[in-house]
Amino acid sequence: MSFTKRKNTKRVPSFRKLLRTSKIKLDNKLKNKQYKQQSAAKKYRKEQKKLREAVRDAISRKPFPLEECKKRQVAGKREEEEEEDALPLDMMDEDDLKLMEDLAQKASFLTRDLSSDEPVHVKKRKHESVIDKYEKVPRRMQTEPEKELIHLLPIKDKGGIIPQTMEKPVLNVEQNEEEDTEEMEEAEDFNEEPLPVLTPEEMAAQRRQKLQERKMHIAALASAILSEPDNNIKKLKELRAMLMEQDPNVAVIVRKLVMVSLMEIFKDIAPSYKIRPLTEAEKATKVKKETQKLREFEEGLVSQYKFYLENLEQTIKDWKQRKLKKSNVISLKAYKGLAEIAVKCLCELLVALPHFNFHNNIIVLIVPLMNDASKMISELCFEAVKKLFKQDKLGYASLGVVKVISGLVRGRNYDVRPEVLKVFLHLRIKEVELQKDSEDIAPKKKFMTYKEKRKNLSRMQRKWKKAEEKLERELLEAEASESKEKKLKLHTETLNIVFVTYFRILKKAQKSPLLPAVLEGLAKFAHLINVEFFDDLLIVLHSLIASGGLSYRESLHCVLSAFHILSGQGDVLNIDPMKFYTHLYKTLFSLHAGGTNDDTGIVLQCVDVMFAKRRKQVSQQRALAFLKRLSTLALHVLPNSSVGILATNRVLMQTFPKMDLLLDNESQGSGVYLPELEEPEHCNAQNTALWELHLLQRHYHPTVQKFAAHLIVGAPTEGSGALPLDLSQRPATELFEAYSMRGMTFNPPVASVTPRRKDTFSQMDSFIDEELNKQLQQHISETVTHKPLDFAKHLKESLLL
């Protein structure tokens, strides 16, 4: 048998063997390796230290020059001669003298002080070892820099603390100096060539060329992205990089163009759903190529959209804080234009993409800008929020905006502009509650129960019915239609926040400029307030009116809010708001043809709520008093107010049938009419007549004439005295706005007079000339026979005539 001798080679341990190796063994190997490294480093440090000491000693032992040695030898000889004179000559042998002469010629004498009495061979071994080590040291070691050590955090184990160090990297000074010299040479070469001086025309042409190149590049990128968004999503990053344009000649315009272009691109390619981030399990699973491509597209779209919004936000912050970038490419004045464009882009995205990602972040940016000092920016944000409220059917976006506004008002201690609260008036909550959407009006699909199917359908029909119902359910889920309950829940939460904001201002900031907006909002949404707050709210409104600190319009809003409350859920309460009737009756004559003419619309709303919607709770005496005072008021206001007031009187005469007694002069009653009395119940309005209608019938405005003639005959709905449909079917507030004279023109315009023909005027001129000539000749013939003085007197009298 032959045995083969195995080679003693070290094999690499397999993975299974490594798994079987214990953790303690691996730790011990690691520690041994660290110990070896530390000991080697320690040994290296000791050697370096010894070499440095040897070099230091060699430098300190500097040899003396030969001239000094000769001088010292001469001095030594003199001393020896003196000593020879003192010592006997027979004590020095010839051999000793010869040895001294031989030793004097050796180099070892040059390295020591000959004047000393120390023997030559003292400490010989020590000096030889130091010199030998010094000779072994390479000459270049003196020029090499020392390697510094950085002490790291130590490692602690069972054996103790193991220090950790690392060598500090040494910069190559020579290389840096060479690079600096090269840069200086290049800079000198660059400075040696002077820049060409351009004329203004050449500079303008160069700027136009650069701008045209940037525009073409932006257009090419945008068209590529829009044509194939899935494949060219990476070009969004290239386009977004142009927001950092560094050319000062075209930086402002290019950045504005890129902002607007990106905004339009995101509006076009953003999907109609919110993109959520993938979970770890979803990322780990294998999917199809199409699905993976869609995921990459959505991920890239969301990331680029986020970076774009951050750029817009940073632009606005830089303008607000008056900060400039380090490059100083754009001036501080130009930042305002950039900030305005950024705000416009954010407003467009707020309205166009309420369903997409980061919409709440845009709301948080836009809402505080409604209170901005710049009128342009605040109006932009106000219009954007108003559009968002009008187009929001479900209420998610409206709820987010209302929450941010409420927090802003409270955080600023109610020191905001009134427009911030006036935006609540554009919420769709009242419209949805009163005028239901088609989605809510349409009845829900009801599916047949199992008993109904078994009773009314055959087996085959049941099978078909089941498949049909399954398909309809899938279609309903695909549409993702929101239920009416969910919509009402969102609206309820939104209104609660609005009312909390209103009540805080009424309680804590009654003298704030926000009070008119609060009262106007209460007048709009008062019918939706909880019944539990009615008593307290009516008391607060009356106390505000009685305080006398409100303007006329604010007091009208208080009255309107109170009657909105009582006309809605407040019908069940037994409350007589006589104080509010009295206040409105007393202040009606505050309206006139001047500035308060615009308040007539609020008065018309108040009268409509007070009488038309509460006809059962109003006495006839009160209605007669208001009818008489409104007719008197129509005499001294503008035509549009007169039309609105007469339309309101028409509604009162049709609502209360006994109003026609004011049209009869022969009717008699007890008492005398007291027009200056402030109580409508006790002014005896039944003892007067509507004589104002005869004056209004001669009004210059044709619509006022029609209404006055219609009311004189008792406001009939049919017959010769009835109004045309375009006037009878429109409410008073709409007529007031339709016939407004804000443009300082007649509404409707007055027909112009038709000019006469030219020949008619020429005939009249010739006739007048002939008559004048005849009279002049007659006067001359009559006065020639008289004396000159009489002639002059007669001519003077005729001229005076």
Side-chain angles (χ1 to χ4, degrees):
M1 296 178 65
S2 63
F3 296 92
T4 58
K5 189 177 180 179
R6 296 182 179 179
K7 294 182 180 179
N8 190 12
T9 58
K10 189 176 181 180
R11 293 184 178 180
V12 179
S14 62
F15 182 71
R16 292 184 178 180
K17 189 173 181 181
L18 288 174
L19 287 177
R20 289 196 299 269
T21 306
S22 64
K23 184 178 180 182
I24 297 174
K25 191 173 182 180
L26 293 175
D27 293 341
N28 291 335
K29 287 184 178 180
L30 180 63
K31 289 178 183 178
N32 293 334
K33 188 176 181 180
Q34 291 175 353
Y35 283 141
K36 288 181 180 179
Q37 292 176 355
Q38 290 176 3
S39 61
K42 190 174 181 180
K43 188 176 180 181
Y44 177 75
R45 288 197 299 270
K46 286 183 179 180
E47 291 178 356
Q48 293 294 325
K49 186 176 180 181
K50 288 180 180 180
L51 288 175
R52 287 195 295 271
E53 290 178 355
V55 171
R56 200 179 298 115
D57 293 339
I59 292 172
S60 63
R61 298 184 64 83
K62 183 177 179 181
F64 295 100
L66 292 174
E67 294 178 356
E68 293 182 359
C69 293
K70 290 180 180 180
K71 291 179 180 178
R72 290 177 182 176
Q73 287 178 2
V74 172
K77 287 181 180 180
R78 289 177 182 176
E79 291 178 356
E80 289 177 358
E81 289 176 355
E82 292 176 356
E83 290 178 356
E84 287 177 357
D85 294 340
L87 293 174
L89 294 174
D90 56 354
M91 293 183 67
M92 293 286 294
D93 295 334
E94 294 181 358
D95 297 330
D96 292 334
L97 290 172
K98 190 176 181 179
L99 179 63
M100 292 293 291
E101 290 176 359
D102 294 333
L103 291 174
Q105 295 177 0
K106 290 185 179 181
S108 61
F109 278 85
L110 298 176
T111 61
R112 68 185 186 92
D113 191 359
L114 297 178
S115 63
S116 63
D117 297 335
E118 185 177 349
V120 179
H121 301 288
V122 176
K123 299 181 182 179
K124 183 177 179 181
R125 293 180 181 178
K126 182 177 179 182
H127 287 295
E128 286 180 355
S129 63
V130 172
I131 292 172
D132 293 338
K133 290 181 181 179
Y134 174 71
E135 291 296 333
K136 292 178 182 180
V137 175
R139 295 293 183 260
R140 65 175 183 272
M141 289 296 292
Q142 294 182 358
T143 59
E144 287 183 358
E146 297 181 11
K147 294 184 179 180
E148 300 182 7
L149 297 177
I150 301 173
H151 296 280
L152 304 178
L153 292 175
I155 299 174
K156 185 177 181 182
D157 61 350
K158 296 179 181 180
I161 296 175
I162 304 173
Q164 297 290 316
T165 58
M166 113 177 240
E167 293 182 359
K168 184 177 180 180
V170 181
L171 296 176
N172 193 352
V173 181
E174 296 179 357
Q175 185 177 0
N176 294 338
E177 290 178 355
E178 291 177 0
E179 291 177 358
D180 294 338
T181 54
E182 289 177 0
E183 290 177 0
M184 292 293 291
E185 291 176 358
E186 290 177 0
E188 290 175 358
D189 296 336
F190 179 77
N191 292 330
E192 288 176 359
E193 297 179 0
L195 293 174
V197 180
L198 300 178
T199 61
E201 292 80 7
E202 292 175 349
M203 293 177 65
Q206 186 179 7
R207 181 176 180 274
R208 284 194 297 270
Q209 183 180 0
K210 288 182 180 179
L211 194 58
Q212 188 64 25
E213 292 176 357
R214 302 294 195 283
K215 287 181 180 180
M216 294 299 295
H217 188 49
I218 293 170
L221 290 175
S223 60
I225 295 169
L226 292 176
S227 60
E228 293 181 353
D230 299 342
N231 299 328
N232 298 324
I233 192 66
K234 292 183 179 179
K235 291 189 177 181
L236 271 175
K237 184 178 181 180
E238 184 180 354
L239 183 59
R240 189 174 55 81
M242 296 183 71
L243 286 172
M244 299 294 114
E245 177 65 40
Q246 297 299 320
D247 192 348
N249 293 327
V250 295
V252 178
I253 297 179
V254 170
R255 292 187 184 187
K256 290 181 180 179
L257 291 174
V258 174
M259 284 182 186
V260 178
S261 302
L262 283 171
M263 181 262 296
E264 294 293 340
I265 289 171
F266 283 121
K267 284 169 62 177
D268 289 338
I269 69 175
S272 59
Y273 54 87
K274 187 175 182 180
I275 300 174
R276 64 172 181 83
L278 298 176
T279 60
E280 295 296 332
E282 291 175 342
K283 292 179 180 178
T285 56
K286 293 184 179 180
V287 294
K288 296 180 180 180
K289 290 184 178 180
E290 293 79 7
T291 308
Q292 185 63 27
K293 188 176 181 181
L294 179 61
R295 285 182 177 180
E296 292 176 357
F297 166 72
E298 291 179 346
E299 185 178 357
L301 178 63
V302 170
S303 63
Q304 294 302 322
Y305 187 57
K306 178 184 176 183
F307 291 141
Y308 172 63
L309 294 178
E310 288 176 352
N311 288 333
L312 296 181
E313 181 185 8
Q314 191 61 42
T315 303
I316 298 172
K317 284 184 178 179
D318 291 341
W319 172 64
K320 286 288 184 185
Q321 299 172 0
R322 302 294 190 269
K323 285 186 178 180
L324 283 176
K325 299 295 182 182
K326 294 181 180 178
S327 60
N328 293 328
V329 175
I330 298 176
S331 63
L332 196 60
K333 293 182 180 179
Y335 258 101
K336 183 179 180 182
L338 284 176
E340 290 177 355
I341 298 297
V343 172
K344 286 182 181 178
C345 294
L346 287 173
C347 292
E348 288 288 335
L349 294 173
L350 177 74
V351 178
L353 302 176
H355 57 276
F356 198 54
N357 299 54
F358 309 114
H359 189 256
N360 290 332
N361 302 77
I362 300 176
I363 291 174
V364 173
L365 282 175
I366 290 296
V367 169
L369 293 176
M370 294 169 62
N371 194 41
D372 194 76
S374 176
K375 186 177 180 181
M376 179 180 178
I377 291 179
S378 61
E379 288 181 354
L380 279 174
C381 299
F382 179 77
E383 292 296 328
V385 174
K386 186 166 66 174
K387 288 180 183 177
L388 182 65
F389 282 164
K390 288 184 178 180
Q391 74 178 20
D392 186 20
K393 293 183 179 181
L394 300 179
Y396 287 108
S398 300
L399 179 60
V401 174
V402 169
K403 284 182 178 179
V404 178
I405 291 176
S406 178
L408 176 69
V409 173
R410 189 178 181 183
R412 301 252 177 122
N413 198 15
Y414 313 106
D415 186 16
V416 296
R417 301 177 65 180
E419 288 78 7
V420 178
L421 285 183
K422 285 185 178 179
V423 76
F424 287 159
L425 301 175
H426 301 279
L427 287 168
R428 284 196 62 182
I429 296 175
K430 183 177 179 180
E431 298 174 0
V432 171
E433 292 293 328
L434 295 180
Q435 300 175 3
K436 308 290 184 181
D437 288 340
S438 59
E439 302 169 358
D440 299 333
I441 294 173
K444 291 184 178 181
K445 184 71 176 178
K446 292 183 179 181
F447 299 104
M448 296 178 66
T449 62
Y450 179 74
K451 292 183 178 180
E452 292 175 348
K453 292 178 184 178
R454 191 165 187 111
K455 183 179 180 180
N456 300 324
L457 303 177
S458 63
R459 183 178 179 183
M460 185 59 68
Q461 288 176 342
R462 288 199 301 269
K463 188 175 181 180
W464 281 103
K465 192 71 176 177
K466 183 178 180 180
E468 184 181 355
E469 289 178 356
K470 183 179 179 181
L471 180 60
E472 288 179 355
R473 285 194 183 94
E474 290 177 356
L475 290 174
L476 288 175
E477 290 177 0
E479 290 175 1
S481 59
E482 297 293 333
S483 62
K484 179 181 177 182
E485 291 78 10
K486 192 170 185 179
K487 186 186 296 184
L488 290 177
K489 184 179 179 181
L490 289 171
H491 289 171
T492 303
E493 187 177 356
T494 305
L495 266 182
N496 287 338
I497 298 173
V498 171
F499 286 140
V500 166
T501 306
Y502 286 164
F503 293 157
R504 280 176 183 163
I505 296 173
L506 285 175
K507 183 179 180 181
K508 299 181 180 180
Q510 291 186 357
K511 295 183 179 180
S512 171
L514 300 176
L515 190 61
V518 171
L519 296 174
E520 192 173 355
L522 285 175
K524 182 177 178 64
F525 302 113
H527 62 287
L528 303 173
I529 301 177
N530 196 346
V531 183
E532 298 175 357
F533 302 107
F534 281 1
D535 292 336
D536 297 335
L537 192 55
L538 288 174
I539 293 171
V540 171
L541 293 175
H542 183 262
S543 63
L544 287 173
I545 293 174
S547 64
L550 302 181
S551 64
Y552 183 59
R553 177 172 290 188
E554 293 171 2
S555 64
L556 290 178
H557 281 307
C558 285
V559 174
L560 186 59
S561 302
F563 281 100
H564 271 303
I565 292 171
L566 296 175
S567 62
Q569 304 176 49
D571 288 338
V572 298
L573 302 176
N574 188 14
I575 298 175
D576 185 15
M578 185 60 193
K579 298 177 182 178
F580 296 101
Y581 280 103
T582 304
H583 175 74
L584 183 62
Y585 182 80
K586 179 174 61 175
T587 58
L588 271 179
F589 286 145
S590 298
L591 295 173
H592 50 74
T596 58
N597 183 74
D598 294 334
D599 299 335
T600 307
I602 307 174
V603 172
L604 298 178
Q605 295 179 33
C606 291
V607 175
D608 181 56
V609 178
M610 294 162 69
F611 291 96
K613 296 181 180 179
R614 289 175 56 87
R615 61 175 66 92
K616 296 181 180 179
Q617 289 87 359
V618 178
S619 62
Q620 182 180 355
Q621 187 67 26
R622 192 181 303 174
L624 288 170
F626 270 91
L627 180 62
K628 175 63 178 176
R629 180 153 289 199
L630 287 172
S631 300
T632 308
L633 178 64
L635 293 173
H636 58 272
V637 289
L638 291 181
N640 60 330
S641 297
S642 298
V643 172
I645 289 171
L646 294 178
T648 303
N649 287 349
R650 175 177 176 272
V651 174
L652 289 176
M653 294 179 70
Q654 292 177 352
T655 305
F656 300 92
K658 294 185 178 180
M659 289 289 184
D660 55 353
L661 60 90
L662 294 180
L663 302 174
D664 188 4
N665 293 332
E666 298 179 357
S667 62
Q668 296 180 357
S670 59
V672 180
Y673 174 59
L674 303 174
E676 297 179 358
L677 193 66
E678 296 179 353
E679 294 292 336
E681 296 285 349
H682 309 291
C683 66
N684 299 324
Q686 72 277 2
N687 296 327
T688 184
L690 296 178
W691 51 267
E692 296 87 357
L693 297 178
H694 292 279
L695 294 177
L696 292 171
Q697 200 173 4
R698 297 178 177 84
H699 199 277
Y700 71 90
H701 200 277
T703 311
V704 177
Q705 295 177 9
K706 292 178 182 178
F707 269 100
H710 173 68
L711 294 177
I712 285 176
V713 296
T717 56
E718 297 178 352
S720 59
L723 285 174
L725 293 177
D726 61 334
L727 297 178
S728 61
Q729 294 183 354
R730 300 168 74 181
T733 53
E734 186 178 344
L735 290 170
F736 169 73
E737 293 293 336
Y739 290 98
S740 176
M741 300 176 67
R742 291 191 180 93
M744 300 301 292
T745 56
F746 289 105
N747 189 8
V750 179
S752 59
V753 180
T754 56
R756 296 179 181 178
R757 295 196 317 183
K758 187 176 180 180
D759 54 356
T760 306
F761 285 107
S762 61
Q763 292 176 2
M764 291 181 63
D765 291 339
S766 60
F767 175 74
I768 291 170
D769 292 338
E770 291 177 359
E771 291 294 327
L772 287 174
N773 290 331
K774 289 180 181 179
Q775 292 181 7
L776 183 60
Q777 291 176 2
Q778 185 179 358
H779 281 296
I780 291 172
S781 61
E782 291 178 355
T783 54
V784 169
T785 56
H786 299 284
K787 296 179 180 179
L789 293 176
D790 295 337
F791 173 75
K793 183 178 179 182
H794 186 72
L795 182 60
K796 185 178 180 180
E797 291 177 356
S798 63
L799 290 175
L800 290 175
L801 290 175

